[in-house]
Amino acid sequence: MTDHVVTHATFTLERRYAASPATVFAAWAVPEAKARWFAGLDAEHELDFRVGGREVNRARSGGGPVLTFESWYRDIVQDERIVYTSTLSEGQDLATVSLTTVEFLPEGGGTRLLLTEQGTFLDGREEPSWREQGTGTWLDALAAELLRSIEQQ
């Protein structure tokens, strides 16, 4: 008999960007901008950014299984909030299920982004701290994308 383990975790990440909430929001909402978050990775990316829409990222690390991160957008308030549910699978095995809320808060002349993720991690396939670190890396890629868009203005 296989041991099935469930771990629940919540983490919050906060970043400040020298860009308006509309600009930061657009980096999440525009498919070409969001795809650049994964530049340099051997990844496939699809984005249907609307309530009920889906985002899929597929990548393989070394010779391991294909990792598929799939999200469904549940609530979108233009320039203010995004709420989505996600799954992460390793090959055919479900590793995590999560609910994420991203808030875009005006602060000074920029934006304070607040991301809160509540996750269920299954059978030790992924550690919550690894997921938090990976999400932080995505937010750092967002900063690079925002710099690029600001320089083009």
Side-chain angles (χ1 to χ4, degrees):
M1 181 175 202
T2 304
D3 288 326
H4 293 286
V5 178
V6 176
T7 303
H8 299 280
T10 298
F11 63 85
T12 300
L13 299 173
E14 186 173 317
R15 298 289 192 275
R16 287 176 171 74
Y17 301 104
S20 70
T23 301
V24 179
F25 185 91
W28 287 73
V30 176
E32 299 79 20
K34 187 86 180 270
R36 285 192 290 266
W37 292 24
F38 309 101
L41 300 176
D42 183 20
E44 297 174 31
H45 179 256
E46 303 167 25
L47 177 60
D48 178 8
F49 188 77
R50 61 183 174 83
V51 172
R54 186 179 91 148
E55 180 173 9
V56 181
N57 297 291
R58 289 183 192 87
R60 182 184 306 266
S61 179
V66 172
L67 298 176
T68 303
F69 189 73
E70 190 169 15
S71 299
W72 294 268
Y73 290 98
R74 306 302 181 174
D75 181 59
I76 298 171
V77 178
Q78 182 76 33
D79 303 337
E80 293 181 24
R81 175 180 71 222
I82 302 169
V83 179
Y84 56 93
T85 55
S86 302
T87 59
L88 175 68
S89 300
E90 297 175 7
Q92 298 300 313
D93 297 326
L94 181 64
T96 69
V97 178
S98 61
L99 167 66
T100 304
T101 302
V102 184
E103 298 173 85
F104 305 86
L105 307 165
E107 185 174 88
T111 301
R112 180 168 62 101
L113 184 144
L114 190 60
L115 181 147
T116 303
E117 183 169 326
Q118 299 165 299
T120 301
F121 300 83
L122 304 172
D123 301 332
R125 287 190 182 89
E126 184 180 336
E127 289 295 317
S129 62
W130 181 84
R131 175 63 158 269
E132 183 175 351
Q133 180 182 7
T135 302
T137 300
W138 278 8
L139 293 181
D140 295 341
L142 169 60
E145 174 57 30
L146 290 170
L147 260 172
R148 182 180 298 116
S149 69
I150 290 168
E151 289 170 355
Q152 292 173 351
Q153 291 179 359

